[in-house]
């Protein structure tokens, strides 16, 4: 009998060999290991901490590098705490005569601010060939030839690695790198305003580069304003008062880089093999980049030399109930490896998350309806399907704003130099602010994923008010305990007061035409343009979208030739100064090449800004901010758009995730319940065998008659041969 069904035996043998989960996209060697799985869509452009400035790069960089400071993982509002620094920096402020000033001294009296930073002793760099040394103590790979580099494509191809203790000089070396003429740091101009020594050093380095194409040796150059006190201490002297500098000390721009790394990567033949700090970073953080294939997969592995850090034991109200303090005092990081897979399309990303192969996911517009439900009041909750899988929803308001700006240099919406014209233009801007229903915009085009903005400061940042005190009184009124947008009738009245009854110039009878300058993919998209045109049409105003390519659009903004434009800003740090400076006269785009794209100037606002920016948080600073916000609401240089909401999904086996986009070094805090994940994957991806069995049986039924006929013929032939 066994001889008659060999194909059936082979079929079931192959079926058994497939294992319990056939569609697992990861190698069998990774099953059951302490690995987190994630995905990325855009490949990081820079991993050199002096150049990197985007969110997709921060995902990797903040896990590898340890700046002096970091944000407390759980506390809100965001609170700075030591990172690689042993304590918070000691800050002293002095006047022109060198006399030390008290902390509350006015910024106008401060001539210089001195930050003394002491780092933790005993911190080691990750294993890296740049730090490998021979028996004689010399760097092992300090002089590589073309022969030495044959077959080398990654840092893992070097046979030896080494490490050493972190020193204060490594932080100073990185600050020097900000001035490197070949690196083009995006924060150079801003920081150089307060640290003039950067420009002095850059000029010196540029002259050296013009004379030679060799790699620069930054160790031969000093930087005015920076001093190494001892092995673990350094000082930075800034011009004037700049309290926001502490926030910059939490960013990789000010993380340590060993000089050995620049010497290692600066050798001939290295850049051609992508052997650069921009591709293979070296840090002291909890993880190191062990695999870099940005078109397919990037891997962070636990740094075996990491100093260790304890999970925080305090947070904000609700954290304990949410289980966020369960790992209080335990050593981090919890996860051994984080695997990031490149996903160019949203559907495969989403499906793998639902199958349990990604531990967390964002919520895109394509899967929004499947993931969440919205009530009539705009409240968001998980869908029944997601809840049944134990998936959890995390939401937070991003420290960002998207706004519709008016170009104050435009004669129509800005009003020109004439005071009467300015007053008319202000009424026009107020009318448009009321008429453009941003609540409706957020509901229709963002699936409710945004909070309508009342002013530039996002919720959660000092200065933002809640409740009735926080509304924009030009656009809203407080009624029955909530903000209610003023009616279109109010907008029409304001339009008439501006001199445009029914959308026509009262003096000339000509129709009012307003132009939105944009790029394809922005508000120039037809559905959004149609919505905007409808809002203006209800006022009797003609609306024209002038879509251009990105470069031409930027030229219009720089030259002041736009009229209305849509812009956004992500806060660099959680301080109101970083939002309110966007309307500071000294930042005017056309005159000063700054970030004030509206070219808005108000002398009272500017005076208050100069005072506010250096004040500590407190009641006095809040009073100043309240007045600044009131000025902006009255003048309406922007329609204050919305603050986007970040939505994130995670499986129930992911522990210790807390939203808050300012905190970017998050991987060390997270933990995976491996048993729960394995069980869920097996259940959700259980192979459906019966269709294959049916197909196999049908195939056997189809070939059985031929097989029987063949056997009969063989037997008959054998019998005939016997006669």
């Amino acid at each position: 009998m066994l001889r008659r069904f060999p194909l059936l035996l082979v079929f079931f043998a192959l079926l058994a060999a497939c294992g319990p989960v056939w569609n697992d996209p990861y190698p069998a060697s990774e099953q059951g290991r302490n690995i987190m799985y994630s995905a990325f869509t855009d490949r990081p452009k820079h991993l050199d901490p002096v150049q990197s400035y985007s969110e997709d790069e921060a995902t990797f960089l903040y896990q590898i590098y340890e700046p002096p400071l970091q944000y407390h993982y759980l506390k809100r509002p965001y609170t700075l705490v030591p990172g690689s620094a042993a304590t918070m920096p000691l800050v002293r402020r002095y006047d022109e005569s060198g006399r030390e000033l008290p902390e509350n001294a006015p910024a106008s009296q401060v001539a210089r601010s001195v930050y003394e930073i002491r780092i933790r002793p005993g911190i080691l760099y990750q294993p890296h060939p740049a730090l490998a040394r021979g028996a004689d103590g010399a760097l092992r790979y300090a002089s590589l030839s073309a022969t030495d580099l044959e077959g080398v494509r990654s840092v893992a191809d070097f046979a030896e690695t080494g490490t050493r203790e972190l020193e204060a000089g490594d932080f100073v070396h990185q600050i020097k790198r900000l001035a490197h003429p070949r690196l083009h740091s995006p924060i150079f101009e801003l920081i150089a305003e307060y640290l003039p020594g950067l420009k002095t050093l850059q000029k010196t380095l540029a002259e050296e580069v013009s004379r030679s194409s060799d790699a620069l040796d930054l160790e031969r150059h000093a930087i005015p304003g920076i001093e190494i006190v001892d092995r673990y201490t350094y000082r930075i002297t800034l011009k004037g008062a700049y309290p926001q500098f502490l926030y910059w000390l939490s960013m990789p721009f000010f993380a340590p880089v060993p000089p050995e790394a620049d010497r290692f990567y600066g050798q001939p033949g290295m850049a051609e093999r992508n052997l650069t700090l921009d591709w293979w970073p070296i840090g002291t953080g909890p993880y190191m980049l062990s695999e870099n294939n940005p078109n397919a997969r990037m891997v962070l592995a636990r740094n075996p030399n990491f100093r260790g850090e304890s999970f925080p034991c305090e947070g904000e109200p609700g954290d304990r109930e949410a289980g966020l303090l369960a790992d209080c005092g335990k050593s981090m990081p919890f996860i051994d490896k984080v695997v990031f897979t490149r996903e160019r399309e949203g559907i495969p990303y989403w499906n793998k998350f639902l199958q349990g192969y990604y531990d967390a996911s964002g919520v895109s517009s394509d899967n929004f309806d499947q993931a969440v439900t919205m009530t009539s009041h705009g409240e968001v909750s998980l869908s029944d399907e997601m809840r049944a899988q134990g998936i959890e929803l995390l939401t937070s308001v991003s420290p960002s704003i998207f706004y519709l700006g008016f170009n104050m240099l435009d004669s129509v919406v800005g009003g020109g130099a004439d005071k009467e014209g300015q007053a008319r233009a202000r009424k026009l801007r107020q009318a448009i602010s009321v008429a453009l229903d941003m609540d409706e915009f957020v509901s229709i085009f963002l699936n409710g994923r945004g909070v309508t903005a009342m002013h530039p400061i996002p919720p959660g940042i000092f200065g933002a008010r809640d409740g009735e005190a926080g509304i924009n009184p030009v656009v809203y009124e407080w009624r029955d305990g909530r903000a209610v947008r003023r009616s279109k009738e109010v907008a029409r009245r304001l339009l008439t007061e501006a001199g445009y009854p029914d959308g026509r110039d009262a003096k000339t009878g000509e129709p009012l035409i307003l132009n939105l300058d944009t790029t394809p993919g922005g508000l120039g998209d037809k559905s959004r343009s149609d919505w905007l045109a409808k809002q203006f049409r209800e006022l009797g105003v003609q609306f024209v979208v002038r879509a251009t390519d990105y470069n031409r659009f930027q030229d219009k903004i720089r030259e002041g030739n736009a009229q209305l434009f849509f812009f956004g800003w992500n806060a660099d740090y959680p301080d109101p100064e970083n939002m309110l400076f966007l309307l500071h006269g000294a930042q005017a785009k056309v005159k000063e090449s700054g970030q004030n794209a509206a070219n808005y100037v108000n002398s009272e606002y500017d005076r208050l800004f100069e005072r506010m920016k250096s004040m500590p948080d407190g009641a006095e600073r809040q009073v100043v901010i309240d007045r600044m916000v009131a000025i902006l609401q009255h003048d309406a240089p922007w329609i204050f758009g919305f603050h986007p909401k970040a939505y994130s999904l995670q499986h129930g086996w992911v522990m210790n995730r807390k939203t808050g986009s300012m905190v970017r070094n998050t991987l060390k805090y997270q933990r995976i319940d491996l048993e729960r994940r394995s069980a869920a994957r097996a259940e959700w991806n259980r192979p459906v065998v019966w269709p294959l069995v049916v197909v196999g049986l049908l195939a056997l039924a189809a070939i059985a008659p031929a097989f029987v006929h063949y056997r009969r013929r063989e037997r008959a032939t054998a019998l005939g041969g016997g006669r």
Side-chain angles (χ1 to χ4, degrees):
M1 189 69 174
L2 291 175
R3 290 188 301 111
R4 296 195 172 208
F5 299 99
L7 291 176
L8 188 62
L9 290 174
V10 171
F11 173 76
F12 282 109
L14 291 173
L15 199 63
C18 290
V21 181
W22 300 355
N23 63 345
D24 192 333
Y26 306 116
S29 60
E30 293 184 358
Q31 289 183 10
R33 292 181 58 190
N34 187 15
I35 300 174
M36 174 175 274
Y37 293 96
S38 186
F40 65 103
T41 54
D42 298 318
R43 57 179 293 172
K45 184 178 180 181
H46 293 295
L47 293 177
D48 184 332
V50 88
Q51 293 179 281
S52 173
Y53 206 19
S54 70
E55 287 298 324
D56 56 307
E57 296 160 357
T59 300
F60 302 96
L61 221 61
Y62 275 82
Q63 325 312 321
I64 298 168
Y65 287 98
E66 270 201 304
L69 305 181
Q70 61 182 337
Y71 291 103
H72 192 286
Y73 185 54
L74 301 178
K75 289 183 179 180
R76 304 291 185 272
Y78 297 103
T79 303
L80 287 171
V81 296
S84 55
T87 60
M88 291 296 292
L90 176 63
V91 184
R92 293 189 175 97
R93 306 198 295 175
Y94 301 88
D95 63 14
E96 287 286 357
S97 64
R99 180 173 60 93
E100 186 171 352
L101 297 170
E103 183 181 350
N104 60 353
S108 59
Q109 296 181 13
V110 180
R112 57 190 175 93
S113 303
V114 179
Y115 292 74
E116 184 170 290
I117 303 160
R118 182 165 179 81
I119 63 172
R120 301 174 191 264
I123 295 178
L124 297 177
Y125 281 100
Q126 69 182 67
H128 197 280
L131 301 175
R133 293 184 180 272
D136 59 355
L139 291 171
R140 174 71 178 80
Y141 300 113
S143 181
L144 294 169
S145 66
T147 303
D148 294 328
L149 291 174
E150 287 181 4
V152 174
R153 287 292 178 266
S154 100
V155 292
D157 293 330
F158 290 93
E160 298 176 36
T161 63
T163 187
R164 70 162 172 83
E165 187 180 15
L166 176 66
E167 299 177 355
D170 301 332
F171 292 87
V172 174
H173 179 77
Q174 167 66 356
I175 296 173
K176 291 179 184 178
R177 297 180 78 249
L178 293 172
H180 199 303
R182 292 176 179 148
L183 294 178
H184 309 294
S185 176
I187 69 163
F188 174 81
E189 292 295 338
L190 187 152
I191 298 299
E193 287 184 33
Y194 300 96
L195 186 58
L198 276 176
K199 289 191 175 180
T200 303
L201 177 60
Q202 187 189 60
K203 182 180 179 181
T204 301
L205 296 176
E207 291 173 355
E208 187 172 324
V209 165
S210 67
R211 294 193 302 266
S212 172
S213 60
D214 294 342
L216 290 175
D217 182 3
L218 297 179
E219 294 303 284
R220 296 193 302 105
H221 300 276
I223 176 169
I226 307 291
E227 175 189 1
I228 298 175
V229 179
D230 58 40
R231 186 174 184 180
Y232 302 114
T233 311
Y234 64 106
R235 291 194 191 111
I236 301 174
T237 300
L238 301 183
K239 183 177 72 174
Y242 186 38
Q244 290 78 20
F245 185 65
L246 287 174
Y247 294 115
W248 289 103
L249 292 178
S250 73
M251 302 182 194
F253 296 114
F254 291 90
V257 169
E260 296 94 327
D262 278 338
R263 290 198 287 271
F264 174 74
Y265 288 125
Q267 297 178 82
M270 299 288 269
E272 293 86 339
R273 292 168 170 80
N274 277 332
L275 293 171
T276 66
L277 197 68
D278 216 19
W279 197 269
W280 294 108
I282 169 174
T284 63
Y287 292 97
M288 56 187 191
L289 189 65
S290 62
E291 185 176 335
N292 186 0
N293 181 0
N295 289 319
R297 169 176 151 130
M298 299 180 72
V299 178
L300 292 174
R302 181 194 290 263
N303 174 9
N305 296 337
F306 182 57
R307 60 184 172 84
E309 191 176 358
S310 298
F311 193 89
C313 291
E314 56 181 344
E316 62 177 340
D319 282 348
R320 186 175 301 278
E321 293 76 6
L324 288 170
L325 296 177
D327 287 324
C328 158
K330 294 181 180 177
S331 182
M332 303 184 298
F334 298 112
I335 296 166
D336 293 335
K337 183 187 289 188
V338 187
V339 174
F340 297 86
T341 304
R342 179 89 182 267
E343 292 286 2
R344 292 175 173 82
E345 303 292 337
I347 292 177
Y349 191 163
W350 178 245
N351 287 338
K352 288 177 185 176
F353 170 71
L354 294 181
Q355 292 169 322
Y357 294 129
Y358 290 139
D359 295 309
S361 170
V363 182
S364 70
S365 56
D366 294 333
N367 53 50
F368 186 85
D369 292 336
Q370 183 181 356
V372 302
T373 58
M374 294 191 66
T375 68
S376 57
H377 298 293
E379 297 174 352
V380 175
S381 64
L382 271 174
S383 66
D384 292 339
E385 179 185 353
M386 298 295 104
R387 195 176 289 108
Q389 281 192 252
I391 292 172
E392 300 168 1
L393 174 67
L394 304 177
T395 65
S396 65
V397 179
S398 300
S400 310
I401 187 169
F402 287 85
Y403 63 90
L404 194 66
F406 297 98
N407 178 14
M408 301 297 284
L409 300 179
D410 181 81
S411 59
V412 176
V413 299
D418 174 46
K419 286 190 175 181
E420 182 181 348
Q422 291 174 1
R424 288 181 56 192
R426 183 187 307 114
K427 293 283 188 180
L428 173 60
R429 297 192 300 272
Q430 291 177 349
I432 297 171
S433 298
V434 173
L436 291 190
D437 190 343
M438 296 309 297
D439 304 272
E440 184 177 290
F441 180 91
V442 169
S443 176
I444 293 174
F445 298 107
L446 301 176
N447 295 113
R449 290 181 293 175
V451 173
T452 306
M454 301 291 179
H455 47 69
I457 308 173
I461 291 181
F462 182 84
R465 295 276 199 178
D466 295 326
E468 185 174 3
I471 69 170
N472 181 351
V474 172
V475 179
Y476 291 87
E477 57 183 325
W478 191 258
R479 192 189 308 161
D480 299 326
R482 65 188 185 94
V484 178
R485 178 174 284 272
R486 297 188 184 276
S487 67
K488 285 286 198 299
E489 288 305 315
V490 172
R492 293 188 184 95
R493 174 176 58 78
L494 288 167
L495 192 65
T496 299
E497 293 174 5
Y500 299 100
D502 300 320
R504 290 185 174 272
D505 191 312
K507 295 180 179 179
T508 66
E510 294 294 321
L512 174 61
I513 302 174
L514 295 178
N515 303 292
L516 173 73
D517 289 281
T518 185
T519 57
L523 272 178
D525 285 349
K526 188 175 186 310
S527 58
R528 300 186 183 196
S529 298
D530 290 347
W531 179 85
L532 282 168
K534 176 177 177 293
Q535 308 291 307
F536 281 103
R537 193 161 53 246
E538 291 178 3
L539 290 182
V541 175
Q542 296 185 28
F543 176 71
V544 177
V545 175
R546 301 191 298 203
T548 57
D549 63 63
Y550 179 79
N551 291 333
R552 177 62 185 138
F553 172 74
Q554 290 295 328
D555 287 341
K556 283 188 173 185
I557 297 296
R558 277 193 296 269
E559 296 163 6
N561 293 328
Q563 191 173 49
L564 279 72
F565 56 91
F566 198 64
F567 253 29
W569 181 261
N570 296 317
D572 293 301
Y573 42 80
D575 190 275
E577 177 267 347
N578 195 235
M579 308 303 295
L580 296 175
F581 93 108
L582 296 170
L583 289 157
H584 185 209
Q587 283 284 331
K589 178 67 73 174
V590 172
K591 187 177 179 181
E592 307 291 346
S593 299
Q595 294 297 332
N596 179 358
N599 299 292
Y600 171 71
V601 177
N602 179 293
S603 57
E604 182 186 0
Y605 179 90
D606 290 346
R607 284 196 304 272
L608 291 171
F609 177 84
E610 291 295 343
R611 180 182 169 198
M612 178 278 307
K613 70 177 185 179
S614 59
M615 295 174 71
D617 290 347
E620 187 178 354
R621 194 183 199 204
Q622 184 68 63
V623 169
V624 175
I625 291 171
D626 288 344
R627 176 57 188 155
M628 294 175 69
V629 165
I631 292 170
L632 295 178
Q633 291 169 336
H634 175 69
D635 284 354
W638 292 356
I639 294 175
F640 295 109
F642 60 90
H643 308 293
K645 272 187 179 179
Y647 282 37
S648 177
L649 298 172
Q650 67 176 38
H651 288 291
W653 57 74
V654 181
M655 310 297 173
N656 301 336
R657 281 184 87 228
K658 183 169 182 175
T659 57
S661 57
M662 281 293 165
V663 184
R664 297 180 174 94
N665 59 339
T666 57
L667 289 180
K668 64 184 177 184
Y669 301 97
Q670 297 179 45
R671 181 166 57 82
I672 299 291
D673 186 331
L674 299 176
E675 292 184 5
R676 186 174 173 185
R677 181 172 70 181
S678 296
R681 283 182 175 180
E683 179 183 349
W684 298 343
N685 299 280
R686 189 174 296 156
V688 181
V689 176
W690 67 263
L692 296 177
V693 175
V694 170
V695 169
L697 293 175
L698 289 174
L700 287 173
I703 66 173
F707 181 75
V708 171
H709 176 72
Y710 170 77
R711 294 294 293 162
R712 286 176 178 171
R713 182 175 173 185
E714 287 290 305
R715 189 177 295 111
T717 302
L719 290 173
R723 288 193 297 271

